[in-house]
């Protein structure tokens, strides 16, 4: 299964979620996108479910000197979530990563303010929350978002993605009440390999999409 772009993936995922919501008689769903790539996907889902759309901003915690190598993640005001095996492999500890976490927390708050433009976050207490991204690789960012959201008291917490790494699915299933994934390819290397067009989503696109909802 391949997707032309994130909108196409969102429509395919929305079709699955409409059936899922009907089966469980879900009528109060809230859709939260992991920006930036999850926003176009989530917009299709929210439109199909006639649900409100918001973002849950999460930031990867990169290894010092190698910012692209994620060793953990933060979301909202939640505590950092670390990949213990990666920390051990690199000889790192959470205390030594405090400056990185502080920097990413500032960027997280900046993005929340930028994307919401003064709007308050949606109240998710007692509701079905569907967290959407464009794909799931290691899953650490999604896990941080799910743990943060769980503390806000949703009735049901769901992660929905078009494609995910098979080894990450069991980890997510321990954090979410449901995992909806269209495709778990054994040859998974990166999310982008399953898209014909995987161009970077801009902040302006995120803002415009949220404004429509």
């Amino acid at each position: 299964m391949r997707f032309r772009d994130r909108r196409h993936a969102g429509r395919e995922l929305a079709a699955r979620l409409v059936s899922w919501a009907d089966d469980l008689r879900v009528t109060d769903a809230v859709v939260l996108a992991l920006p930036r790539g999850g926003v176009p996907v989530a917009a299709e889902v929210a439109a199909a479910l006639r649900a409100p759309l918001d973002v849950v901003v999460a930031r990867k915690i990169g290894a010092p000197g190698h910012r692209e190598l994620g060793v953990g993640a933060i979301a909202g005001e939640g505590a950092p979530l670390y990949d213990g095996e990666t920390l051990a492999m690199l000889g790192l500890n959470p205390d030594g990563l405090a400056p990185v976490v502080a920097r990413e927390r500032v960027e997280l708050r900046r993005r929340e303010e930028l994307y919401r433009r003064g709007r308050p976050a949606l109240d998710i207490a007692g509701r079905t929350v569907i967290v959407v991204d464009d794909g799931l690789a290691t899953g650490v960012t999604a896990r941080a978002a799910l743990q943060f959201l769980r503390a806000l008291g949703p009735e049901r917490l769901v992660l929905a993605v078009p494609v995910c790494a098979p080894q990450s699915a069991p980890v997510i299933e321990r954090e979410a009440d449901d995992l909806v994934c269209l495709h778990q390819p054994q040859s998974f290397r990166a999310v982008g390999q399953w898209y014909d067009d995987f161009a970077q989503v801009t902040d302006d696109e995120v803002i415009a999409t949220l404004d429509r909802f």
Side-chain angles (χ1 to χ4, degrees):
M1 178 180 288
R2 290 186 60 82
F3 307 103
R4 291 190 298 275
D5 54 23
R6 290 181 179 87
R7 297 286 183 186
H8 173 222
R11 290 190 292 272
E12 295 291 325
L13 186 60
R16 175 74 63 84
L17 285 166
V18 166
S19 297
W20 171 88
D22 287 344
D23 290 344
L24 294 180
R25 298 182 182 179
V26 172
T27 59
D28 63 341
V30 174
V31 178
L32 300 182
L34 279 162
R36 293 181 293 222
V39 172
V41 184
E44 301 293 335
V45 171
L49 294 176
R50 298 180 181 178
L53 175 66
D54 197 1
V55 291
V56 52
V57 181
R59 295 290 298 171
K60 179 171 62 179
I61 301 170
H66 301 278
R67 296 182 65 175
E68 292 306 310
L69 177 57
V71 298
I74 55 171
E77 296 301 319
L81 173 70
Y82 292 105
D83 182 328
E85 290 185 5
T86 304
L87 287 183
M89 181 180 66
L90 297 174
L92 299 173
N93 64 74
D95 289 344
L97 291 167
V100 180
V101 173
R103 182 175 63 244
E104 294 300 339
R105 187 85 69 185
V106 170
E107 176 62 15
L108 185 154
R109 290 169 178 156
R110 185 195 72 81
R111 291 196 181 205
E112 286 180 335
E113 294 173 1
L114 175 67
Y115 296 154
R116 291 200 177 107
R117 302 210 299 172
R119 292 185 295 262
L122 292 176
D123 183 2
I124 66 170
R127 304 185 71 174
T128 295
V129 178
I130 303 174
V131 181
V132 177
D133 203 356
D134 53 14
L136 183 69
T138 66
V140 66
T141 303
R143 287 175 58 209
L146 291 169
Q147 289 188 9
F148 165 66
L149 294 170
R150 180 72 74 184
L152 301 181
E155 180 179 353
R156 182 186 295 269
L157 189 56
V158 183
L159 181 71
V161 292
V163 61
C164 63
Q167 64 271 23
S168 297
V171 179
I172 291 297
E173 287 170 343
R174 293 196 291 268
E175 301 285 354
D177 298 309
D178 293 288
L179 170 64
V180 178
C181 177
L182 301 182
H183 189 34
Q184 295 187 37
Q186 293 301 316
S187 58
F188 186 99
R189 295 189 305 275
V191 172
Q193 78 182 96
W194 304 101
Y195 287 81
D196 295 330
D197 178 0
F198 199 63
Q200 186 175 10
V201 178
T202 67
D203 285 338
D204 287 344
E205 290 177 80
V206 172
I207 294 167
T209 301
L210 293 176
D211 282 351
R212 289 202 302 272
F213 285 82

